[in-house]
Amino acid sequence: MITSSAPGKVYLFGEHAVVYGEPAVPCAIERRATVHVESREDDRIRVEANDLSLDGFTVTYGENPDEANVDVPGDLVEAATGYVNGAVEQARDAADAPSAGFNVEIESEIPLGAGLGSSAAVVVAGIDAATRELGVELSADELAERAYRVEHEVQEGQASRADTFCSAMGGAVRVEGDDCARIDDPPELPFVVGYDGEAGNTGKLVAGVRERREQYGFAADTVEAIGDLVRQGRRALRDDDVAQLGELMDFNHGLLSALGVSSRSLETMVWAARDAGARGAKLTGAGGGGCIVALDETTSTRLALEYTPGCEAAFRAELDTEGVRRE
Amino acid sequence: MITSSAPGKVYLFGEHAVVYGEPAVPCAIERRATVHVESREDDRIRVEANDLSLDGFTVTYGENPDEANVDVPGDLVEAATGYVNGAVEQARDAADAPSAGFNVEIESEIPLGAGLGSSAAVVVAGIDAATRELGVELSADELAERAYRVEHEVQEGQASRADTFCSAMGGAVRVEGDDCARIDDPPELPFVVGYDGEAGNTGKLVAGVRERREQYGFAADTVEAIGDLVRQGRRALRDDDVAQLGELMDFNHGLLSALGVSSRSLETMVWAARDAGARGAKLTGAGGGGCIVALDETTSTRLALEYTPGCEAAFRAELDTEGVRRE
């Protein structure tokens, strides 16, 4: 049996604006999806997914996803199955073994559907483990590329390269259009994540920003301001200026809020974090619900979030400089 | 005895950006300060201020402000005395009666120090009542100008013309630099105000925006985006498009939040209003604490705010098309 893991991610800066070619900085976090893969005698796939979340729900399903024993929405299960099937197909293709069968077991510390890149981590780790089980080693770059193809297909063309690249390579990443690169020597980033247990509708949120941007010049300018803020953020990363990174996170959050992608619970968590002394806090990902990320090297923000109504889970998740990893 | 009243105001759009020559739209609200003035035999001034707030505090003071019976911070009392003295001096000057003495009694429905223009309303109504008591009638324009001089002096050069102009003229106002004009035929604006009982430090908040604007190009762009949003808002006012006004208020709030002038309680109230079905909601005034303004023709937002922790007072305060008024 072969085991690989890959990290989830948060957006330090730039979600939504990245859709319009502005730069963004996703960062891998020390929360991983782990995938165990074992070849089968036949050509079938058996998937067992345990503990796909930090808190509150579990998915277990066998050969027939319809019989899954779950307390999560069906579309998440369907998506998860789609990601695993896609990863297996990529592995079969890479190893030129079109009829290879596998038993796949998934464990994840990354809340599902929370904008932390859980699917990208499962796909990256899954392709890595399955190809290695077939005796083939792919570079992190190729894993990122193949994982992106899977996400692109499952998410019907809406996927960004950021999640899969970030999960495969680890560290802080500079994304601009289809161009992804690791940022050298980022400072330690003491991320704290707060999760409201909800999931915004990414497609609708992205469409809402597009509509505002087309309707109003000042909304288009707001998207561009995010891009400029991200460029400043990259300088602050290079200068190890964690205080400025926090300030820029706060500013970025306000611009996202102006674009209509915040929510009451996200705002509540962001302000709980700031009041607790976080250097900065913002929503991360598509918004509308899901997660916030704060910077705090102390335990105050996590504790404050744990006592914040509407925050279902709060955890530390430092920058993970390692991407996909053999376990 | 002569009695005049003048309205408070909210910013529909544009606070903070107005400091940099961008347009803003303050609106008079149906919450008034009423000033009764009576000539005295001597040249002294006696001020009695009752119920200077909606909720929670009362100021009463006589000839010696040091002996004031108050449960508000001393600097507010000092400021209030300064405003009344300034108004009396303007009236003496306008009526060429340098040694006229008055008994002045103030009643106000406008929370003090909450960014609703209570001082401007007291000054406008005070000058009007005192000049009329001396047999002189000033135009609303001249009242606005003289009231501005008082605010300018008391606030040590930081005053904007918006508050005094808006209070003297009533209605929705277009401010750009020193240029103020009434907006013709605005739609009915069903304002609801939520007040957290706090007062941000205006000087510090203005300085914070200035610092960010000087430090970061994207912050300067954010200030400009507010200006463009206000221009769009003026078109929406002309078109009676209340739905769009709400959307623009939400966007304006996000940009203000990005500039660092929101607060936890303001954000809580803004989201309570939005969740209650308000068409839009934003902080109003300098921020950092104080008031939010929402648009809602139903009673939902006011009720929701009344049950929102941290909201000390919630009230309806429709657009007041009348400015200073004889009572």
Side-chain angles (χ1 to χ4, degrees), chain A residues 264-320:
Chain A
R264 192 176 191 172
S265 54
L266 292 174
E267 214 65 49
T268 304
M269 293 191 290
V270 158
W271 281 94
R274 291 175 185 167
D275 273 12
R279 289 171 181 275
K282 61 184 278 295
L283 69 85
T284 175
C291 290
I292 65 135
V293 59
L295 273 191
D296 188 355
E297 56 272 45
T298 76
T299 57
S300 304
T301 295
R302 185 179 55 73
L303 285 170
L305 286 171
E306 277 172 5
Y307 289 101
T308 299
C311 179
E312 293 274 314
F315 51 87
R316 175 166 292 296
E318 315 243 353
L319 178 68
D320 193 340

Side-chain angles (χ1 to χ4, degrees), chain B residues 274-292:
Chain B
R274 290 175 185 167
D275 273 12
R279 290 172 180 275
K282 61 183 279 295
L283 68 86
T284 175
C291 290
I292 66 135

Side-chain angles (χ1 to χ4, degrees), chain A residues 216 244 251 254 258 264 267 275, chain B residues 216 251 254 258 264 267 275:
Chain A
Y216 299 126
Q244 186 176 106
F251 205 111
R264 192 176 191 172
E267 214 65 49
D275 273 12
Chain B
Y216 300 126
F251 205 110
R264 192 176 191 172
E267 214 64 49
D275 273 12

Side-chain angles (χ1 to χ4, degrees), chain A residues 113-165:
Chain A
L116 297 180
S118 58
S119 61
V122 166
V123 173
V124 166
I127 299 176
D128 187 59
T131 48
R132 290 200 291 122
E133 175 75 0
L134 295 173
V136 173
E137 303 250 342
L138 301 181
S139 68
D141 273 318
E142 191 171 349
L143 283 171
E145 174 59 32
R146 288 185 176 273
Y148 168 66
R149 284 184 219 154
V150 174
E151 290 232 306
H152 187 77
E153 181 156 335
V154 177
Q155 296 173 19
E156 290 165 2
Q158 296 273 332
S160 125
R161 285 180 182 274
D163 288 21
T164 40
F165 186 86

Side-chain angles (χ1 to χ4, degrees), chain A residues 230-265:
Chain A
V230 176
R231 280 179 273 272
Q232 180 65 35
R234 290 205 311 242
R235 286 189 284 274
L237 271 172
R238 205 179 46 213
D239 299 344
D240 289 2
D241 190 342
V242 178
Q244 186 176 106
L245 290 172
E247 253 183 50
L248 295 173
M249 288 170 75
D250 285 347
F251 205 111
N252 195 166
H253 178 77
L255 296 178
L256 287 166
S257 173
L259 289 169
V261 301
S262 190
S263 77
R264 192 176 191 172
S265 54

